[in-house]
Amino acid sequence: MPNDDVENLLRDLAPQVLGALVRRFGHFATAEDAVQEALLAAAVQWPEEGVPGNPRGWLITVGSRRLTDLLRAEQARRRREDTVLQWTPPDQWLAPAADRPAEQSDDTLILLFMCCHPALSPASQIALTLRAVGGLTTAEIARAFLVPEATMTRRISRAKQRVKDSGIPFGLPPAAERAVRLGAVLHVLYLIFNEGYASTSGPHLHRAELSSEAIRLTRMVRRLLPEDGEVAGLLALMLLTDARRPARAGPDGALIPMAEQDRALWNAASIAEGVALISEALPRGATGPYQIQAAIAAVHDEAPSAEATDWPQIEALYEVLTRISDNPVVALNHAVAVAMVRGPRAGLDLLGELESDERVAAGHRLHAVRAHLLEMAGDPVAARAGYLEAARRTTSLPQQRYLHARAARLG
């Protein structure tokens, strides 16, 4: 098997193997070390010797044996401490025989629930999910979020310790908690995707590795929960949004707004898959915010041109979304849709209601949207001032260049 195929297989199997070891032994951090060593062994052996018939079982066996060694070494170091009595008895440490079939359950979803434990901050949930489930290295995660590797190492270590201290067993949460925890899982995946698709800081407009990883992990959740409408909605939203990525930037990396993009560059296969997903999910059961956002994205993607966009339908969908989602970014987008249907002054009136919302008042988005609507309303002086203020507030260099360019056109 080519090295690239082995790498892709190992990336898919890593969270399953980690989940299996944590389920069997506990000791999250130590299990992760053992899995990394098993993956390294596979990366060296499989390209030369061939992939075993049961690659997941092979990794679990090798990881279990390595984890047994690590735990025995730890026991030896702590033999005289009272806590040695809390370790798993030695007769339960032994890894299963290599010819014994591994458990076939996929623990990836349980691992996602663990990484998205409500005791963790959103930043820690994202970092731990990318590390334990996504398989990214600490250095890769640190680069993605523009922090030193040592900082990210501490963040992930604290997250693991908090999960350990919580004492939660390895398993799906009780039914009463499951919906809330699944919401946290989906929210973390959504945040990872958004940071990849539209980077909030730094020199790049997007980070394809993050958005691609979010899509991969959401596909995994979709396989595990095929009947969940919001999981389908989130995957559809990611696909329909990411489909536009090839047209979002010019050759120099400059941002191109959707209305000016070459739609021939949009990924038709992703659009078709996203439309099919949301078309299947919407008629089933209750409709959640990810499904509505996906429906809005589908209306945009299916329009042959910006002028042909069905803005009344988009406005109606945002009306529904604002009733079920207290999200200021949704309110901003709703104001734009209202402006496209009823005129820019109607949209500006809605923006006035957001000025006291601290979640957006300090950022650049409110100023950028207001400037856009002022430009539509024929007030270039105020629009220029708004674009410059938005540029001052954003930490994304491509966004800054775009906003400065818009301001320059007006004066």
Side-chain angles (χ1 to χ4, degrees):
M1 178 180 286
N3 285 347
D4 287 347
D5 292 343
V6 169
E7 182 178 344
N8 290 336
L9 177 60
L10 292 175
R11 182 177 286 270
D12 286 338
L13 290 174
Q16 300 179 38
V17 176
L18 178 58
L21 294 191
V22 174
R23 174 189 289 277
R24 184 176 298 170
F25 295 94
H27 306 285
F28 188 106
T30 311
E32 189 181 30
D33 291 340
V35 170
Q36 291 303 313
E37 295 197 24
L39 294 173
L40 178 61
V44 172
Q45 295 180 33
W46 291 4
E48 298 294 329
E49 302 175 9
V51 176
N54 181 1
R56 179 175 176 272
W58 190 97
L59 289 168
I60 290 174
T61 298
V62 173
S64 296
R65 289 173 175 165
R66 180 55 183 149
L67 184 55
T68 297
D69 293 340
L70 292 172
L71 291 179
R72 282 174 171 160
E74 181 68 14
Q75 191 217 25
R77 285 194 298 269
R78 303 177 64 179
R79 187 178 302 277
R80 295 181 182 177
E81 300 178 12
D82 291 340
T83 53
V84 73
L85 300 176
Q86 300 175 10
W87 287 89
T88 304
D91 62 348
Q92 296 180 21
W93 290 356
L94 297 177
D99 58 352
R100 176 178 143 189
E103 296 176 8
Q104 292 304 308
S105 61
D106 189 337
D107 291 316
T108 302
L109 185 60
I110 299 174
L111 199 58
L112 273 167
F113 275 120
M114 178 177 285
C115 292
C116 296
H117 189 276
L120 301 178
S121 68
S124 295
Q125 290 175 340
I126 290 172
L128 194 56
T129 298
L130 288 173
R131 182 71 183 89
V133 187
L136 275 66
T137 66
T138 304
E140 288 172 331
I141 301 169
R143 284 197 300 272
F145 289 94
L146 302 178
V147 299
E149 184 175 352
T151 299
M152 187 57 68
T153 297
R154 289 193 296 271
R155 183 179 298 174
I156 293 174
S157 296
R158 285 195 299 267
K160 291 177 182 176
Q161 187 62 43
R162 182 157 293 188
V163 170
K164 179 181 178 182
D165 292 344
S166 72
I168 59 171
F170 187 81
L172 287 174
E177 299 178 20
R178 201 165 300 166
V180 175
R181 294 279 290 278
L182 178 60
V185 168
L186 298 184
H187 183 61
V188 165
L189 296 176
Y190 180 64
L191 292 175
I192 294 170
F193 175 82
N194 283 344
E195 183 60 32
Y197 183 75
S199 301
T200 54
S201 60
H204 303 296
L205 184 61
H206 54 248
R207 297 170 185 151
E209 73 280 3
L210 281 183
S211 52
S212 298
E213 184 60 21
I215 291 172
R216 187 184 76 86
L217 294 176
T218 307
R219 286 190 186 281
M220 194 177 295
V221 178
R222 164 80 172 153
R223 287 197 299 269
L224 297 168
L225 299 172
E227 302 302 318
D228 191 284
E230 276 292 79
V231 174
L234 179 58
L235 179 56
L237 174 61
M238 290 179 178
L239 291 169
L240 291 164
T241 303
D242 195 61
R244 306 176 204 137
R245 180 160 48 88
R248 276 190 80 226
D252 59 350
L255 171 65
I256 301 175
M258 190 191 305
E260 301 172 19
Q261 290 174 12
D262 179 359
R263 299 187 176 215
L265 297 177
W266 289 2
N267 188 318
S270 292
I271 293 173
E273 183 181 359
V275 169
L277 277 168
I278 194 57
S279 298
E280 178 187 350
L282 280 175
R284 299 198 322 248
T287 300
Y290 293 122
Q291 294 171 68
I292 298 173
Q293 290 180 75
I296 293 169
V299 174
H300 280 298
D301 285 11
E302 292 188 303
S305 65
E307 296 73 22
T309 302
D310 189 346
W311 282 107
Q313 184 179 357
I314 291 175
E315 181 194 9
L317 288 167
Y318 271 120
E319 291 281 357
V320 176
L321 187 56
T322 55
R323 289 198 293 269
I324 66 174
S325 175
D326 179 27
N327 185 321
V329 176
V330 169
L332 284 174
N333 292 334
H334 176 228
V336 173
V338 168
M340 298 301 293
V341 176
R342 304 182 216 168
R345 289 298 170 186
L348 287 166
D349 289 343
L350 290 177
L351 289 186
E353 301 172 7
L354 285 170
E355 291 178 354
S356 60
D357 192 325
E358 296 178 354
R359 294 174 295 174
V360 291
H364 77 283
R365 286 189 177 93
L366 178 61
H367 295 275
V369 171
R370 181 188 290 113
H372 175 59
L373 298 189
L374 286 167
E375 184 178 359
M376 288 176 60
D379 189 345
V381 175
R384 182 175 184 276
Y387 284 129
L388 291 175
E389 181 61 22
R392 186 182 70 82
R393 291 171 180 254
T394 185
T395 53
S396 165
L397 296 181
Q399 287 279 358
Q400 288 178 2
R401 289 194 292 268
Y402 170 74
L403 292 165
H404 278 300
R406 294 298 294 250
R409 291 195 318 185
L410 297 175

